[in-house]
Amino acid sequence: GGKMAARLSGGGGENRLVSLPLSRIRVIMKSSPEVSSINQDALFLTAKATELFVQYLATYSYKHGRGKEKGALTYSDLSHTAEECETFQFLADILPKKILASKYLKMLEKEKRDGEVGEDEDEEEDDDEDES
């Protein structure tokens, strides 16, 4: 649409080809101890790759999620993708499945009990099976 054209013709050279803020990305890259200086091309490519990755994650999650019934991308679509799709499994910690606090507390209680008992090993196998 018109937005893309405006973005490309707006001054500022190649940076306008990326919608993520380069300064923010530079800060994140610099937070890594082994990074001392960041080449402008490396910064641009990292930003562009990140943008494309986010688009891919969002599109995939939308297509495979329940959100498209409502015409919306939901958090649970994203967390479902992180859980189910091998490509995105490294995001599972960042996009955890939302659960009720009460359910979480019960899980903690159970873990504590299991830890103390230690003899009932058959209980642990059932943990992973309640995927809806």
Side-chain angles (χ1 to χ4, degrees):
K3 190 179 156 212
M4 188 71 181
R7 217 164 69 197
L8 293 176
S9 58
E14 61 181 1
N15 295 356
R16 305 308 304 145
L17 299 170
V18 180
S19 36
L20 296 172
L22 294 183
S23 56
R24 187 69 58 85
I25 289 170
R26 184 186 278 114
V27 168
I28 296 170
M29 287 168 81
K30 279 219 152 149
S31 72
S32 178
E34 56 273 13
V35 174
S36 52
S37 67
I38 296 159
N39 172 308
Q40 198 56 31
D41 289 342
L43 177 63
F44 175 75
L45 289 172
T46 302
K48 193 67 196 170
T50 305
E51 190 180 316
L52 293 171
F53 173 77
V54 171
Q55 281 176 4
Y56 177 52
L57 171 64
T59 308
Y60 184 97
S61 302
Y62 181 75
K63 280 186 188 150
H64 295 80
R66 297 204 192 105
K68 67 169 176 277
E69 297 162 15
K70 299 174 225 134
L73 176 64
T74 66
Y75 178 86
S76 60
D77 291 338
L78 292 168
S79 69
H80 185 75
T81 296
E83 199 181 27
E84 298 299 323
C85 176
E86 217 177 300
T87 311
F88 296 110
Q89 249 159 23
F90 72 100
L91 294 173
D93 295 342
I94 301 167
L95 293 168
K97 224 182 188 171
K98 277 187 181 171
I99 60 168
L100 292 171
S102 55
K103 195 174 168 190
Y104 180 65
L105 292 171
K106 272 196 191 120
M107 274 166 52
L108 285 181
E109 268 305 306
K110 186 179 184 311
E111 270 177 33
K112 221 165 96 182
R113 279 201 314 273
D114 289 358
E116 284 163 15
V117 179
E119 281 158 31
D120 291 310
E121 280 176 31
D122 28 339
E123 271 184 55
E124 286 170 39
E125 284 158 28
D126 305 339
D127 281 359
D128 301 334
E129 281 173 28
D130 55 86
E131 286 177 37
S132 45

